Amino acid sequence: MPQKPKSNLQDSSTQPNRSSLRPSVFWQLAEDIPPRLNWVLSGISLGLPLILWWGITTFGSIDPKFLPSPSAVIIAAQRLWGAGELQQDTIASLWRVGVSFLLSAALAIPVGILMGSFASIRALLEPLFGLMRYMPAPAFIPLLILYQGIDEAPKLSLIFIGTFFFNALMVMDTVKFVSKDLIEATYILGGNRLQTLAMVIFPHVIPGILDTCRINLASAWQLVIVAELIAATEGLGRRISVAGRFLRTDEIFVGLIVIGAIGLILDLLFQYVIRVCFKWSNNN
Amino acid sequence: MFVQIDNLSKQFDTQNGNITVLKNININIAEGEFVCVVGASGSGKSTLLRQIAGLDTPSSGEIRIGGVPVKGPSPDRGMVFQNYTLYPWMNVQENTEFGLKLQGVAKRERRERASYYLDVVGLSDFARSLPNQLSGGMKQRVAIARALVCEPKILLMDEPFGALDIHTKESMHEFIIDLWQRTKITILSITHDVEEAVFLSNRIFVLSSRPGTVKKELTINLAERGADAKRHAIFQDYRDELMGLLRQYGAEGLVAAKI
Ligand SMILES: Nc1ncnc2c1ncn2[C@@H]1O[C@H](COP(=O)(O)OP(=O)(O)O)[C@@H](O)[C@H]1O
Ligand SMILES: [Mg+2]
């Protein structure tokens, strides 16, 4: 009779349980953590850097020209707010992002849906869009200034160029999640192609489109700052660049924090809308 | 005959060359009949159903329903897919109405006809639920109601109960038999479940694999199709016969696959 191969796992007296998975709350793969732990960890995520910042500026001897203290930044924010400059800058930047991103999305969404739905349109546009996507939008600045001067137009164009191709290609990808069976079921129920596009594919991809917008809004927000660093009379990017020139580090911090906060709020707003309005797309 | 499938063959061009999935299929179905096609997985059952539904065109041969050749999909041939193809953002009522909406039926009539069929499948209480709030069996009943609302000449089902657990499956068997007896609709269902085929069918077509051809036609005469039918000797004889046939032709397919 052949001998069973020896194994050092065999001895059941010393190893009553061969499971190598120990229970854990923190290290669970693909599982939620308890809501309280979630809040605590999220609090640490924002609170710890703030405490470190405060500690370093209070107990370390660092030149406030390099790193102003949190309280100095708050005072600077109050000063800018009182003069009305902070509001003016924020509105200017928001307006640029709003107008330009709306235009970009309004055009990219139908184009992206068509690309996702028709292999022909995809073959026609995907090579060009794929190429354009890899050209960094700021590299277009000299051209834009040449064509459009230094007014609002080149700033809006910059955001448009920087988001349109990503929007279109990502919307195209969301169409792939519409199952072929669902499209064929629609044909069998008597739907034509236009109806299938408008009444099945489009509603199916709306949550995906909103998520695409949420992600690309972040790039729009970056690009508006880049645009304003170059030439602008107002805007948060302009504020930072002017503050840098006059070594007003506290104002740089105000600018950075406001930019970050607005971005985060927009992101959370999108997430909230998707979660509340599209319950059907959550778990299926 | 109501459904006539004459010498149907289907080939696909693939990277491994041209493969013949269906070869010389001849199937006739009378109006009001319940027919099952059984075969091993990969024998071309879904491909056959897609040709009948008009979602794909045969390489040769012809399909006529009520004397009219099949050209493209139509609400005259309702279809139920295996993996619950409901519109996830529409509630049960809206899903059921959707075919009528696509066909331009007025809202009022839509509502009434859909409600009638929701009642037929016993889901009136769930009219406002979303598909992801329903169990698998309920989803398939919605899919059946959605097909029936269009008043098709034939109901095509591709392994409709394949993803259900055994208890749900059995209650769906009784449900579909009851529905068939009440509506008198012609049904062509596909399955690889032998008991399901015997329990539901008037006739069964056994498909071989690679290429799929009709190897055998069985006529089933069950005195009754109640919940107890599966325990009767005659049921078990049919089952064993079908099982033997599938083993024979399924194995043939496996041998062919190795060559
Ligand atoms: N569009 C297609 N292109 C190429 N091969 C296909 C296509 N559709 C089906 N087949 C092949 O035909 C065979 C039968 O498939 P299918 O009809 O889905 O079988 P079943 O439903 O009986 O499991 C499979 O081998 C499959 O790979
Ligand atoms: Mg199949």
Side-chain angles (χ1 to χ4, degrees):
Chain A
M1 222 182 105
Q3 280 270 288
K4 211 171 171 183
K6 274 211 186 85
S7 155
N8 45 14
L9 287 176
Q10 288 282 316
D11 193 352
S12 59
S13 59
T14 56
Q15 286 202 309
N17 184 355
R18 284 181 58 178
S19 169
S20 57
L21 203 58
R22 260 172 272 135
S24 166
V25 176
F26 200 96
W27 299 115
Q28 291 211 83
L29 291 168
E31 291 286 348
D32 278 341
I33 53 171
R36 261 194 64 191
L37 183 58
N38 195 359
W39 281 111
V40 170
L41 294 176
S42 303
I44 291 174
S45 170
L46 288 176
L48 197 63
L50 201 64
I51 290 171
L52 275 177
W53 177 23
W54 177 81
I56 290 170
T57 48
T58 309
F59 301 110
S61 50
I62 288 181
D63 185 350
K65 283 267 176 281
F66 284 104
L67 186 64
S69 68
S71 52
V73 172
I74 291 171
I75 290 165
Q78 282 168 339
R79 189 174 65 235
L80 289 172
W81 180 272
E85 285 170 318
L86 190 57
Q87 298 92 309
Q88 219 177 345
D89 289 332
T90 306
I91 288 167
S93 296
L94 270 176
W95 182 83
R96 285 176 190 129
V97 168
V99 169
S100 203
F101 193 78
L102 266 180
L103 279 176
S104 155
L107 209 64
I109 291 168
V111 170
I113 291 178
L114 290 178
M115 287 171 77
S117 306
F118 300 104
S120 46
I121 309 262
R122 188 157 59 241
L124 196 63
L125 296 178
E126 201 180 2
L128 176 67
F129 283 22
L131 178 72
M132 296 295 290
R133 173 164 63 163
Y134 281 102
M135 297 184 183
F140 283 86
I141 290 173
L143 273 184
L144 292 173
I145 291 176
L146 190 66
Y147 297 157
Q148 299 179 311
I150 52 167
D151 271 347
E152 284 303 306
K155 299 182 185 66
L156 300 182
S157 301
L158 180 73
I159 300 170
F160 185 90
I161 292 172
T163 56
F164 174 78
F165 301 103
F166 279 94
N167 271 338
L169 291 168
M170 285 166 73
V171 168
M172 176 185 92
D173 278 338
T174 65
V175 179
K176 284 186 190 147
F177 291 106
V178 185
S179 84
K180 203 167 166 239
D181 279 351
L182 210 58
I183 291 171
E184 294 190 331
T186 311
Y187 292 158
I188 287 176
L189 290 172
N192 59 32
R193 289 196 184 86
L194 189 62
Q195 285 175 315
T196 308
L197 205 57
M199 295 160 83
V200 176
I201 294 178
F202 182 64
H204 200 295
V205 298
I206 292 174
I209 288 175
L210 286 179
D211 208 42
T212 297
C213 288
R214 178 180 74 84
I215 292 162
N216 289 336
L217 203 52
S219 351
W221 202 228
Q222 293 190 356
L223 288 167
V224 74
I225 305 304
V226 172
E228 289 169 356
L229 287 176
I230 291 140
T233 50
E234 62 201 345
L236 291 166
R238 163 77 180 166
R239 173 68 38 205
I240 290 175
S241 111
V242 169
R245 222 171 295 152
F246 294 100
L247 275 182
R248 288 197 217 116
T249 324
D250 48 357
E251 291 187 5
I252 295 181
F253 271 73
V254 173
L256 285 173
I257 291 170
V258 169
I259 289 166
I262 292 176
L264 182 65
I265 289 167
L266 286 175
D267 196 285
L268 292 175
L269 210 64
F270 266 89
Q271 284 188 39
Y272 177 77
V273 169
I274 293 170
R275 204 173 55 236
V276 170
C277 299
F278 300 95
K279 285 209 170 72
W280 60 266
S281 75
N282 291 344
N283 42 52
N284 69 1
Chain B
M1 278 293 193
F2 184 61
V3 176
Q4 287 173 284
I5 301 173
D6 292 326
N7 262 321
L8 181 131
S9 296
K10 180 71 188 177
Q11 282 133 25
F12 287 112
D13 274 324
T14 66
Q15 290 142 325
N16 309 326
N18 197 288
I19 55 164
T20 303
V21 175
L22 297 172
K23 195 174 164 190
N24 294 336
I25 305 274
N26 288 290
I27 291 177
N28 289 325
I29 303 171
E31 194 156 11
E33 236 187 332
F34 199 138
V35 167
C36 277
V37 174
V38 297
S41 153
S43 57
K45 304 183 296 293
S46 297
T47 306
L48 174 63
L49 210 67
R50 288 172 57 80
Q51 315 300 311
I52 302 172
L55 291 171
D56 203 350
T57 40
S59 306
S60 65
E62 197 182 34
I63 302 167
R64 287 167 175 273
I65 292 174
V68 186
V70 168
K71 287 202 185 77
S74 142
D76 280 349
R77 280 157 274 132
M79 183 139 163
V80 176
F81 297 80
Q82 173 171 357
N83 35 6
Y84 323 124
T85 47
L86 300 177
Y87 304 101
W89 61 95
M90 297 184 201
N91 66 30
V92 167
Q93 175 83 29
E94 290 162 336
N95 261 287
T96 313
E97 279 180 26
F98 194 60
L100 300 176
K101 189 172 181 183
L102 290 170
Q103 294 159 43
V105 175
K107 191 165 183 169
R108 179 95 161 279
E109 188 188 341
R110 241 162 48 203
R111 196 121 293 186
E112 282 169 11
R113 281 167 65 179
S115 299
Y116 171 78
Y117 280 101
L118 276 183
D119 191 39
V120 169
V121 300
L123 286 176
S124 300
D125 291 345
F126 294 88
R128 304 265 153 263
S129 306
L130 285 176
N132 65 9
Q133 298 169 309
L134 304 179
S135 68
M138 287 157 89
K139 284 185 205 171
Q140 281 311 51
R141 283 191 279 161
V142 177
I144 291 167
R146 186 179 68 183
L148 291 179
V149 167
C150 300
E151 294 178 344
K153 293 182 182 148
I154 182 169
L155 184 62
L156 307 169
M157 304 197 289
D158 190 353
E159 306 200 24
F161 314 127
L164 303 178
D165 67 81
I166 184 91
H167 300 293
T168 313
K169 199 189 237 181
E170 293 201 326
S171 71
M172 286 300 285
H173 289 163
E174 283 160 40
F175 160 78
I176 196 81
I177 280 291
D178 179 55
L179 182 97
W180 172 62
Q181 285 168 345
R182 277 187 290 154
T183 56
K184 289 283 151 226
I185 189 172
T186 314
I187 300 182
L188 173 58
S189 185
I190 274 174
T191 180
H192 58 240
D193 181 328
V194 172
E195 291 211 353
E196 176 172 308
V198 175
F199 185 73
L200 298 179
S201 316
N202 296 125
R203 278 186 304 142
I204 299 173
F205 291 90
V206 181
L207 225 58
S208 64
S209 309
R210 300 164 196 268
T213 52
V214 176
K215 283 289 178 184
K216 182 87 182 176
E217 181 186 330
L218 275 182
T219 303
I220 307 290
N221 277 311
L222 287 181
E224 53 125 355
R225 295 174 198 265
D228 298 330
K230 290 177 189 175
R231 278 202 291 279
H232 294 168
I234 180 159
F235 183 92
Q236 302 189 349
D237 290 345
Y238 280 132
R239 191 194 58 195
D240 294 344
E241 183 180 357
L242 188 55
M243 203 92 97
L245 287 168
L246 270 181
R247 208 167 283 142
Q248 189 181 341
Y249 299 124
E252 226 174 53
L254 287 181
V255 173
K258 273 181 195 154
I259 293 167

